[in-house]
Amino acid sequence: MASSTTRLALANSARKLPKGAKLVGAADPKQEIEISVRLRAKRADDEQVMALGAQPPRERQYLSRAEFGAAMGADPADVAKIDDFAHHHDLNVKSVHLASRTVKLTGTVKAMSAAFGVKLNKVRYEGATHRMRKGSVQIPAELAGIVVGVHGLDNRPVAQPHFRRKLPQKGAAARAAQGGSFSVDQIAQLYNFPGGETGAGQCIAIIELNDIDQKGHPTGAGYKTSDLRTFFKRAGHPDAEDRSRERRRRRQQARSFRGRRRGRARHRGGRCDRARRQDRGLFRAQHHQRLHRCGQGRRP
């Protein structure tokens, strides 16, 4: 499929340079970059999704991953059109994931700019240099309705961290928010979170993004394993402490096993050394006896 000369602006793809940004120059045209192209689903059933979300978690009928991918994934025919588009513009298809409706493309900045009708520049913003663009992404008319998103041409941070630092309160404060934050139990009550759930068999992701300081360094972010363990323990997760004890028990067993193995090796080594020394002593004694007998036989 040859790419059409008629191009359309991709919906919701318009970008502006942030206030205070400084243009440094054009992005290196030979730089290799990777982008993600998001495709439409085979079918969109918003009413079913909304109805499922309105049900309590215990009453929902969930699809398996295979069932979800088959029903809501990308159409292979749409992927074939993206493949033709990529090769027409000297881009490479790095990977295809039908369930997430994502096609990853690689190529130079020059090829990407020509393929999607954008101009990529280096821009200095808040102490860091990013690759940014202005305006909308342009796609061929035959891909309209098929491509729903193009991500990665512009690599400026788009998500914001949501962690909140607890600030000391002065004077009177509302009882519901003493100290400026809520406990885990209070959040669970506010959202009517069902109790007794363990999360077994579920796929759960917790994401907390870094912020960027004035020097362009990541700061403030991320969850530590100890933080997550404390969170689930306070939330009353039945397995949190048990799993922690089990990990400690396994580490102790491993250390004990390694210690016993080293002890057995030393014991075997010592026993073998003693046996070798005994064999050498017996050999010498027998050898001396034979020499003595031979000497006696040669006497006149």
Side-chain angles (χ1 to χ4, degrees):
M1 176 190 72
S3 182
S4 172
T5 56
T6 304
R7 288 179 170 268
L8 303 173
L10 180 63
N12 303 318
S13 66
R15 303 297 297 272
K16 296 180 180 180
L17 294 183
K19 187 177 180 179
K22 182 179 180 181
L23 181 65
V24 177
D28 182 2
K30 296 181 180 180
Q31 181 186 6
E32 289 280 340
I33 63 175
E34 177 182 311
I35 68 168
S36 298
V37 179
R38 288 270 293 167
L39 308 181
R40 64 185 177 185
K42 289 181 181 178
R43 63 178 178 85
D45 195 344
D46 294 338
E47 293 183 1
Q48 183 180 1
V49 173
M50 295 301 293
L52 182 66
Q55 292 178 326
R58 294 178 180 176
E59 299 178 7
R60 298 175 187 173
Q61 297 295 324
Y62 295 99
L63 298 176
S64 67
R65 292 191 180 188
E67 291 172 339
F68 179 84
M72 305 299 293
D75 190 332
D78 290 346
V79 174
K81 293 181 180 180
I82 299 299
D83 183 79
D84 290 341
F85 166 79
H87 287 90
H88 181 75
H89 290 88
D90 297 325
L91 304 177
N92 300 312
V93 178
K94 181 179 180 180
S95 64
V96 176
H97 196 269
L98 293 177
S100 63
R101 310 194 312 273
T102 303
V103 180
K104 291 187 179 296
L105 304 179
T106 59
T108 63
V109 165
K110 180 180 179 179
M112 291 288 185
S113 300
F116 294 99
V118 297
K119 184 178 180 180
L120 302 177
N121 295 303
K122 290 190 295 185
V123 178
R124 187 76 175 172
Y125 178 63
E126 293 186 346
T129 301
H130 306 285
R131 186 176 61 247
M132 296 189 187
R133 61 176 177 82
K134 294 190 298 183
S136 300
V137 172
Q138 305 292 319
I139 59 174
E142 58 266 23
L143 296 181
I146 295 176
V147 176
V148 297
V150 177
H151 312 286
L153 293 170
D154 188 320
N155 68 352
R156 77 182 83 178
V158 293
Q160 298 294 327
H162 293 281
F163 64 91
R164 303 282 182 89
R165 291 185 175 89
K166 184 177 179 180
L167 301 176
Q169 296 290 328
K170 294 182 179 179
R175 184 177 181 182
Q178 289 283 343
S181 61
F182 295 92
S183 68
V184 173
D185 296 336
Q186 290 173 326
I187 293 294
Q189 292 173 2
L190 289 172
Y191 284 92
N192 194 25
F193 194 83
E197 302 292 341
T198 65
Q202 302 298 317
C203 183
I204 301 172
I206 300 176
I207 301 175
E208 180 58 60
L209 302 175
N210 283 331
D211 200 359
I212 302 295
D213 61 18
Q214 294 182 351
K215 296 183 179 180
H217 300 147
T219 181
Y223 286 119
K224 298 179 180 178
T225 303
S226 58
D227 296 336
L228 294 175
R229 189 177 297 118
T230 301
F231 172 84
F232 287 115
K233 182 178 179 181
R234 292 185 60 184
H237 192 288
D239 296 334
E241 189 62 27
D242 293 341
R243 291 180 180 177
S244 178
R245 285 196 296 267
E246 178 64 18
R247 284 192 293 269
R248 289 196 297 268
R249 186 183 65 83
R250 290 181 179 178
R251 286 195 295 267
Q252 291 173 355
Q253 285 182 340
R255 288 194 294 266
S256 177
F257 175 75
R258 288 194 294 269
R260 291 197 302 270
R261 187 169 56 185
R262 287 193 294 267
R264 286 197 297 269
R266 288 194 296 268
H267 180 66
R268 287 195 300 268
R271 189 168 55 192
C272 292
D273 290 342
R274 287 195 299 273
R276 284 193 292 269
R277 287 195 297 269
Q278 291 174 355
D279 291 342
R280 286 196 296 269
L282 179 61
F283 174 78
R284 292 194 188 97
Q286 292 175 345
H287 181 65
H288 288 312
Q289 290 178 357
R290 285 196 296 272
L291 289 177
H292 181 68
R293 287 197 297 271
C294 290
Q296 287 179 346
R298 288 196 298 269
R299 289 178 182 177

